[in-house]
Amino acid sequence: MSGVGTESNDPLPSPPEEQQATTGLDMGEEDLHQRKEEDSKGEGEMSDCVSGQNGEPKTDDQSPTVSQVCTATKMTLLPKSPHVKTHALTLEWAFGMNRALPVFSLQDQDQLVILYGGTNVAVMYDQTSNSQHVLQGHSSPISCLCVSEDRRWLVTADRGQESLVIIWDSFSGIPVQTLFDSHPEGGVAALALSKDSKYLDFLICSQRVCIWDWTNETEDPLCVTDLNPEYGFQNHIIFNPNDITQLLSNSESQYMIVSYIFQDKQHLDYIAPELLDKTFNKVVGMLSQSVFHWRGLQALSATSVGNLVLWDMVRASSTSRPLVRRAIKLIPLQKDSITVLTLTDSFIVTGDTLGHVKFYDENFKLISWYSEFNLDPITSISFSKEVPPNRSQGYLEDCTLEAKMFVIRNFVLSTVNSTVVHVNAQCGVLQTLLREHCEALHAVACHPQQPVVAMGSHSGILKVWDYERKVSICSRVFEKERHIQCIAYDPQGFYLAVGFASGSVHVLDACTLLSEAEERFNFSQDCITHITFSPDSLYLATAVSRHTIMQRWKYLGRHHSHYKPIRDLLFGVYLDSTQPRLLSLGMDRRLVEYDLQNSKVKDELLILSSERIEQSAVPTCMAWYPPLTTEDFLLTASDLYKMKLFNSTTKMCRKTLLGPTYGSPVEKMAMLPFSKDHDPSAHYMAYITKDKVGVQILPIDGNPHKSSALICHPTGVSDMACSYDSRYVFTAGGSDCTVLSWEISLNALEAAASLGGKELIPFYSLLDGGRDGELFREMEDFFYYCQLRNQGIDSMEMRQVSTRIPLGEVPFVMRALGFFPTEQELEDMQNEVKFSRYAESGRYVTNIDLEEFIKLYVNHRPAFGISRKELLHTFQVLGDSYVMGEPVVNKIELLELLQDRGEHMTENELAECFTTLVGLNPEGGGPDLGAFECDGMYHHVQFKVVSTNPKMRLKLHGFDILPLKLCVCVGQMQKMCWRVRSQR
């Protein structure tokens, strides 16, 4: 299942590069077509709503059913009563915002509602009721927002694959129109709606201007034009409020482009008036924003040096146009850079880098300003749609000699440091609505006993929230270290440990966020990547790339235990004991356990054991498996979409399982705590991948329907935390500066899993062709052939037909099906079956039936097979030179690699492989050792092996038609190549 707010039960995993990013409103190809149909059905109703006076909805009494959009009011989005959850994960709250996007004022009368963007969602935040309505639909980060003049219609657009433009109804929160495949060149850079909300204009990142009539049933824009790249990257565009046939855009360079829509509405032309420093013999500066003057003909542009450029229509002398727009005046308004330029009623409004807001009249005379708010540089200003009352009592005076009442609308402004404030114009009072993280947010942790979540960012801000009441409890700003990388609560919830990118560690009081001087550690100059407490809270361990540092409220020691970065750090307890144990897992494929009991000397952290747990895969994370069996297991995940269960004492691999396959492997996982609201015997796990968050039903058995995953942070998930009551999972987005709160519905997860079928039905769907496919029939044939082979092919005695085969026959059946495991993988398979009932019965399992074999095959085979690209890369790694454009392998080096690296091959095995490959030994017997010479040609694959020749050339063509006899060698060479590559 994958999506945002929606789930799917696709039983067949697809390669990561082919999987579709899914969201709460579009989930792959089928749902994409379905959504197109739904949007087209609602367009007629939506068009009627748009054509209403001032954007108010119209209703049709004769219609048997009335659209929710047309019946919605501005009170529709008030907090609703709880309802039954239909999805395993539901986005419940978004902490943080995208400071690069503007903030808009939607309502400012009975309710105070604003709109802002964060990661791939837009948020309508009602400050009056402290509630959010999240607009989900994008699978890529939102790049721009805009609203209609009456605030009824909202538009969001993104950048990335399968980019979308979505028009929303602000009263109901329903998407009324979606533009699919409208900007495949890379996404939208700027958006604008006409004054009547009928036309939508957007600038594509490839500098193409598109005009859409989004209220009509059309899949193509009205007109399109490509801008000249010489004019710079246009990042701001608006309609002329007095003439919808005119548009204005500007780039940071000194170019403003004015576009004209011709009367046929099918052609778009533009001009780019020249503006240079020599135009006025003054420094103009870089353009920030431009607006049309309310007179209609003039336009204004603000610059980075505090100037205002006035553009007007003048008579042309050498062009076909009677009038063209030219820069006629450069007005030095102020010394500081102007970052925002907008209009409200009869005032020109600017925001600057000092955090000041200034108001000018049409003659550019300063009327009033707000400079006492002590704000950071302003990034957006949005005025309320509510008109001020006619009476002017209570308003502040302006700064003119007449000292008139300064009557303006209330407004909302945002700053570069992710602060959003509301200004009541009547009394001049500022109210802070949001104060979020403005730099990368990588750290999130949940309190073990209270509804509290802590999050820290690279801006040095550590903030603690009550996630049920949605209020900030306390916060602290670290001025010196700043870059917070990871945080963790101790199991009792008394302390909060904070790890910094500078290598220092602070242990804080969980309630006050204060720390004593002796509770600060700085024993490394590298970034703290992992931090964790022992179950008894006596030990604190941190990981810095390849080092593990151990602290027992005083520095104990560290050890360079891995030669590649550490992926996970985990405390536990020994069986039948309360003694803590510490393990680390690295990209070097080693699982290291530390000897805490004997590490008593300062600066000495001893290693108890170091085991290599993978051959080709790279481990990504680990967690303690819940007590579902009598054995104690450690669960690990790898980059090959596999999960493995290791005996916690012997470190033996006891089971290999197919993990979630949602485009990228599992990066972190955590077992959900026990919940009193659910069956105590049921266990669940939460996990994150590169850009998704998911939940999994335990025990893991390879059934894809027991897992659900949703897109959460398209630019990457950096951390995850689970609430103490298993109701929520929190994800940190790193560079997108947001933390998302996801509500978990275990009932919905169980219901979705039950719909996928019971017993072997989900596993049949993972086979090519399913239960009735050719692969399943081959399995049955091979299964019974093994029984004949085991009883003797030439035997004339009565055959004993059974549903089981000896365990020793499993490798042969696997290879016959095209899966060529290594010797270690074969040993893991046999151990998995052999010890499957040992803990319960004390006996080994020596045979396997077809159902068990299907599960074994599905869980152990490569998740996405072996592609032609991987085969090509394998031989490129093996070949150290090229002849005629083809890889050439030195015979001596190849034989040495096969016999010395990876899983060593003996001379007998080599001779058997090569003679079988060239057809001299089709039955696979063992030839006599010694010099042999043979040539073989099979489907453009030529091997020449001469024992007296110092060179052996390996020529490979046409991988799509490899002969079956070559597969054994290719499978072996690929496994050997992975081993060689990892050691190099």
Side-chain angles (χ1 to χ4, degrees):
M1 317 167 196
S2 89
V4 170
T6 10
E7 304 164 9
S8 62
N9 282 303
D10 299 330
L12 288 173
S14 56
E17 62 272 13
E18 297 179 2
Q19 285 195 340
Q20 299 291 329
T22 55
T23 69
L25 299 170
D26 59 315
M27 310 163 16
E29 187 173 354
E30 293 184 2
D31 295 303
L32 196 68
H33 293 307
Q34 180 181 357
R35 178 167 168 183
K36 287 183 179 180
E37 294 176 359
E38 293 174 352
D39 285 338
S40 63
K41 291 178 181 178
E43 284 173 5
E45 297 170 343
M46 171 271 302
S47 301
D48 293 338
C49 294
V50 175
S51 61
Q53 182 69 23
N54 297 326
E56 293 299 326
K58 296 197 312 180
T59 60
D60 187 358
D61 297 335
Q62 297 178 355
S63 175
T65 58
V66 181
S67 167
Q68 295 184 32
V69 175
C70 292
T71 58
T73 67
K74 63 181 180 180
M75 304 297 290
T76 304
L77 286 178
L78 286 174
K80 301 176 182 178
S81 58
H83 58 280
V84 177
K85 301 296 182 182
T86 57
H87 308 299
L89 289 170
T90 304
L91 182 55
E92 188 257 350
W93 195 270
F95 300 90
M97 60 179 290
N98 184 348
R99 59 177 179 168
L101 297 178
V103 178
F104 293 99
S105 172
L106 299 183
Q107 298 182 34
D108 195 356
Q109 196 168 8
D110 299 328
Q111 296 171 282
L112 178 55
V113 182
I114 62 173
L115 173 74
Y116 59 91
T119 183
N120 63 328
V121 299
V123 180
M124 297 174 62
Y125 173 60
D126 185 347
Q127 191 273 339
T128 307
S129 62
N130 192 27
S131 61
Q132 286 185 356
H133 183 86
V134 183
L135 306 179
Q136 297 175 258
H138 296 274
S139 59
S140 301
I142 291 179
S143 57
C144 43
L145 301 169
C146 76
V147 300
S148 62
E149 186 170 330
D150 60 5
R151 304 301 195 269
R152 178 66 192 269
W153 311 109
L154 320 175
V155 187
T156 59
D158 62 40
R159 295 181 186 176
Q161 296 181 349
E162 299 183 357
S163 297
L164 301 175
V165 175
I166 305 177
I167 297 92
W168 309 81
D169 171 34
S170 67
F171 288 179
S172 63
I174 296 176
V176 296
Q177 177 66 290
T178 302
L179 304 180
F180 296 90
D181 305 322
S182 58
H183 46 288
E185 297 86 355
V188 177
L191 281 171
L193 275 171
S194 59
K195 186 175 182 178
D196 61 1
S197 304
K198 183 177 178 61
Y199 297 106
L200 172 64
D201 170 45
F202 54 80
L203 260 170
I204 300 175
C205 292
S206 59
Q207 297 302 278
R208 173 176 296 176
V209 180
C210 301
I211 309 296
W212 292 75
D213 181 356
W214 64 273
T215 63
N216 289 333
E217 298 183 12
T218 176
E219 296 184 357
D220 298 312
L222 291 177
C223 47
V224 177
T225 189
D226 292 316
L227 303 180
N228 192 329
E230 295 180 357
Y231 299 143
F233 183 80
Q234 305 289 307
N235 56 11
H236 176 74
I237 191 168
I238 61 170
F239 274 96
N240 188 336
N242 301 311
D243 184 359
I244 62 173
T245 64
Q246 294 186 20
L247 300 99
L248 183 151
S249 68
N250 69 257
S251 64
E252 291 185 355
S253 61
Q254 296 173 355
Y255 280 102
M256 183 194 71
I257 297 179
V258 181
S259 304
Y260 298 90
I261 306 175
F262 284 79
Q263 295 300 323
D264 58 7
K265 297 182 180 179
Q266 295 180 355
H267 184 57
L268 183 68
D269 196 8
Y270 68 90
I271 59 173
E274 186 179 26
L275 176 63
L276 303 173
D277 289 347
K278 65 180 181 181
T279 303
F280 300 103
N281 293 321
K282 293 181 180 179
V283 177
V284 175
M286 308 299 288
L287 301 185
S288 56
Q289 290 185 355
S290 301
V291 296
F292 282 102
H293 197 280
W294 56 78
R295 291 177 180 172
L297 296 179
Q298 294 181 333
L300 305 171
S301 296
T303 75
S304 59
V305 295
N307 292 328
L308 195 67
V309 182
L310 177 63
W311 309 80
D312 204 349
M313 304 297 292
V314 298
R315 187 170 300 279
S317 58
S318 60
T319 65
S320 59
R321 293 179 178 275
L323 296 175
V324 295
R325 198 175 298 273
R326 292 283 186 267
I328 63 170
K329 186 178 294 186
L330 185 68
I331 306 169
L333 285 184
Q334 58 187 62
K335 296 181 180 180
D336 303 296
S337 174
I338 299 175
T339 56
V340 178
L341 176 64
T342 186
L343 304 176
T344 178
D345 299 326
S346 59
F347 296 105
I348 301 169
V349 187
T350 65
D352 56 35
T353 54
L354 294 181
H356 299 169
V357 180
K358 298 179 181 180
F359 295 81
Y360 301 85
D361 63 9
E362 60 180 344
N363 297 317
F364 310 107
K365 182 175 67 174
L366 182 63
I367 301 300
S368 184
W369 71 89
Y370 292 89
S371 59
E372 67 278 6
F373 295 151
N374 296 321
L375 297 175
D376 300 306
I378 295 173
T379 55
S380 71
I381 301 175
S382 176
F383 286 88
S384 169
K385 68 176 181 178
E386 280 80 18
V387 180
N390 293 328
R391 59 183 184 277
S392 58
Q393 291 86 353
Y395 282 87
L396 303 177
E397 297 179 348
D398 61 24
C399 62
T400 61
L401 294 178
E402 294 83 0
K404 298 179 181 179
M405 292 293 102
F406 183 55
V407 181
I408 59 170
R409 306 169 188 243
N410 297 341
F411 59 94
V412 171
L413 56 87
S414 61
T415 71
V416 294
N417 285 342
S418 298
T419 299
V420 179
V421 299
H422 173 266
V423 179
N424 187 314
Q426 185 170 10
C427 57
V429 175
L430 178 143
Q431 179 185 9
T432 301
L433 304 181
L434 299 173
R435 193 184 301 275
E436 302 292 351
H437 301 269
C438 60
E439 295 186 35
L441 200 164
H442 291 286
V444 61
C446 287
H447 195 281
Q449 300 174 7
Q450 300 175 9
V452 170
V453 60
M455 52 193 75
S457 66
H458 281 191
S459 58
I461 299 175
L462 179 64
K463 185 178 289 189
V464 179
W465 288 81
D466 183 326
Y467 55 75
E468 288 187 345
R469 296 188 295 124
K470 305 300 184 298
V471 295
S472 176
I473 301 175
C474 57
S475 63
R476 177 177 175 180
V477 179
F478 294 88
E479 299 290 349
K480 184 177 180 181
E481 289 87 356
R482 287 183 59 83
H483 293 77
I484 299 175
Q485 190 66 28
C486 53
I487 57 178
Y489 280 99
D490 80 295
Q492 281 71 42
F494 297 144
Y495 303 101
L496 179 64
V498 183
F500 293 86
S502 62
S504 63
V505 176
H506 288 211
V507 180
L508 314 177
D509 182 279
C511 296
T512 64
L513 300 186
L514 300 178
S515 60
E516 301 293 337
E518 59 270 14
E519 293 176 348
R520 302 176 184 176
F521 309 95
N522 194 355
F523 299 101
S524 174
Q525 301 300 319
D526 297 326
C527 175
I528 304 294
T529 58
H530 298 81
I531 189 167
T532 182
F533 283 92
S534 62
D536 56 8
S537 301
L538 295 179
Y539 290 92
L540 172 66
T542 60
V544 285
S545 186
R546 301 172 179 85
H547 298 267
T548 299
I549 300 177
M550 190 66 194
Q551 292 145 357
R552 193 173 182 177
W553 300 117
K554 63 180 180 179
Y555 177 64
L556 180 61
R558 63 179 176 178
H559 201 290
H560 192 164
S561 49
H562 298 269
Y563 65 89
K564 287 187 177 182
I566 293 175
R567 295 304 303 265
D568 211 345
L569 194 63
L570 185 65
F571 268 109
V573 294
Y574 289 104
L575 287 176
D576 303 324
S577 172
T578 59
Q579 290 295 326
R581 59 190 301 192
L582 175 64
L583 301 97
S584 63
L585 185 66
M587 292 184 66
D588 55 4
R589 304 178 177 89
R590 305 201 74 87
L591 177 65
V592 178
E593 182 169 5
Y594 302 89
D595 189 354
L596 302 183
Q597 281 66 42
N598 296 319
S599 300
K600 304 299 183 182
V601 181
K602 185 178 181 180
D603 206 15
E604 182 183 27
L605 180 59
L606 303 179
I607 288 181
L608 186 62
S609 64
S610 179
E611 305 284 344
R612 185 182 178 106
I613 62 171
E614 295 284 0
Q615 285 185 300
S616 304
V618 177
T620 56
C621 56
M622 61 180 174
W624 292 111
Y625 203 59
L628 299 174
T629 65
T630 54
E631 283 189 86
D632 191 30
F633 289 125
L634 178 69
L635 178 66
T636 67
S638 72
D639 65 340
L640 295 185
Y641 300 88
K642 299 295 183 182
M643 290 188 169
K644 291 187 176 182
L645 290 174
F646 292 89
N647 184 284
S648 62
T649 303
T650 64
K651 309 296 194 307
M652 175 190 290
C653 179
R654 289 283 289 102
K655 187 168 286 191
T656 300
L657 303 156
L658 177 66
T661 54
Y662 297 116
S664 56
V666 173
E667 299 286 341
K668 184 177 181 179
M669 54 189 175
M671 303 301 156
L672 292 182
F674 171 74
S675 175
K676 62 181 180 180
D677 298 330
H678 297 92
D679 184 1
S681 62
H683 296 271
Y684 305 89
M685 179 184 78
Y687 62 89
I688 55 174
T689 66
K690 180 181 178 181
D691 58 352
K692 299 178 181 66
V693 58
V695 285
Q696 169 82 45
I697 300 175
L698 301 179
I700 300 175
D701 56 5
N703 181 354
H705 300 285
K706 296 172 67 174
S707 177
S708 171
L710 318 176
I711 293 178
C712 53
H713 301 273
T715 56
V717 192
S718 58
D719 200 5
M720 173 193 71
C722 300
S723 65
Y724 76 101
D725 55 1
S726 298
R727 291 181 56 200
Y728 302 98
V729 58
F730 299 86
T731 57
S735 60
D736 64 20
C737 306
T738 59
V739 168
L740 300 181
S741 171
W742 302 86
E743 187 174 359
I744 302 174
S745 175
L746 299 179
N747 292 332
L749 180 64
E750 291 283 1
S754 63
L755 292 176
K758 297 181 179 180
E759 298 178 349
L760 276 185
I761 294 178
F763 297 93
Y764 287 143
S765 61
L766 295 176
L767 301 176
D768 293 338
R771 177 67 174 78
D772 301 322
E774 182 180 354
L775 180 59
F776 181 79
R777 291 195 299 269
E778 287 184 350
M779 280 187 175
E780 288 184 315
D781 293 341
F782 291 145
F783 208 78
Y784 291 113
Y785 178 74
C786 283
Q787 296 184 22
L788 297 177
R789 183 175 179 271
N790 188 59
Q791 298 174 23
I793 296 179
D794 299 329
S795 175
M796 301 299 294
E797 298 180 1
M798 181 69 69
R799 298 293 182 179
Q800 299 294 326
V801 180
S802 172
T803 60
R804 310 182 71 87
I805 62 173
L807 192 56
E809 297 292 331
V810 169
F812 300 102
V813 183
M814 291 288 183
R815 292 173 182 138
L817 293 170
F819 170 37
F820 301 93
T822 64
E823 296 301 318
Q824 180 61 54
E825 289 172 335
L826 289 174
E827 182 180 347
D828 291 343
M829 289 184 202
Q830 293 182 333
N831 287 338
E832 179 176 328
V833 179
K834 183 178 179 180
F835 293 98
S836 58
R837 299 183 182 90
Y838 185 80
E840 293 81 5
S841 64
R843 296 180 179 180
Y844 298 128
V845 176
T846 59
N847 48 42
I848 186 173
D849 62 19
L850 182 58
E851 294 184 357
E852 294 171 342
F853 178 83
I854 291 175
K855 292 183 180 180
L856 195 70
Y857 172 76
V858 166
N859 283 312
H860 281 264
R861 68 174 179 177
F864 304 108
I866 299 175
S867 66
R868 180 177 184 270
K869 182 178 179 181
E870 289 175 311
L871 282 177
L872 286 171
H873 182 68
T874 297
F875 288 102
Q876 288 172 356
V877 172
L878 289 174
D880 56 3
S881 60
Y882 284 78
V883 175
M884 300 297 292
E886 298 171 356
V888 176
V889 182
N890 181 280
K891 180 194 73 173
I892 298 176
E893 180 181 353
L894 176 61
L895 295 178
E896 287 179 352
L897 290 174
L898 290 173
Q899 296 180 81
D900 298 337
R901 296 293 188 94
E903 294 179 344
H904 308 163
M905 297 180 68
T906 65
E907 292 186 14
N908 278 313
E909 291 172 335
L910 279 175
E912 183 178 349
C913 283
F914 283 122
T915 54
T916 302
L917 278 170
V918 297
L920 296 182
N921 189 24
E923 296 300 328
D928 295 334
L929 290 178
F932 61 92
E933 179 175 347
C934 57
D935 291 287
M937 173 71 75
Y938 299 100
H939 299 284
H940 305 291
V941 182
Q942 180 180 1
F943 287 87
K944 187 173 183 181
V945 184
V946 182
S947 59
T948 59
N949 194 340
K951 292 281 185 179
M952 180 186 70
R953 293 183 180 178
L954 175 62
K955 297 184 178 181
L956 296 172
H957 309 275
F959 287 97
D960 293 333
I961 51 173
L962 282 176
L964 179 60
K965 293 179 180 180
L966 184 61
C967 291
V968 177
C969 182
V970 170
Q972 175 66 23
M973 295 178 91
Q974 187 187 39
K975 294 294 184 181
M976 181 272 297
C977 172
W978 285 338
R979 280 281 292 164
V980 172
R981 188 171 58 201
S982 66
Q983 294 185 14
R984 286 180 175 175

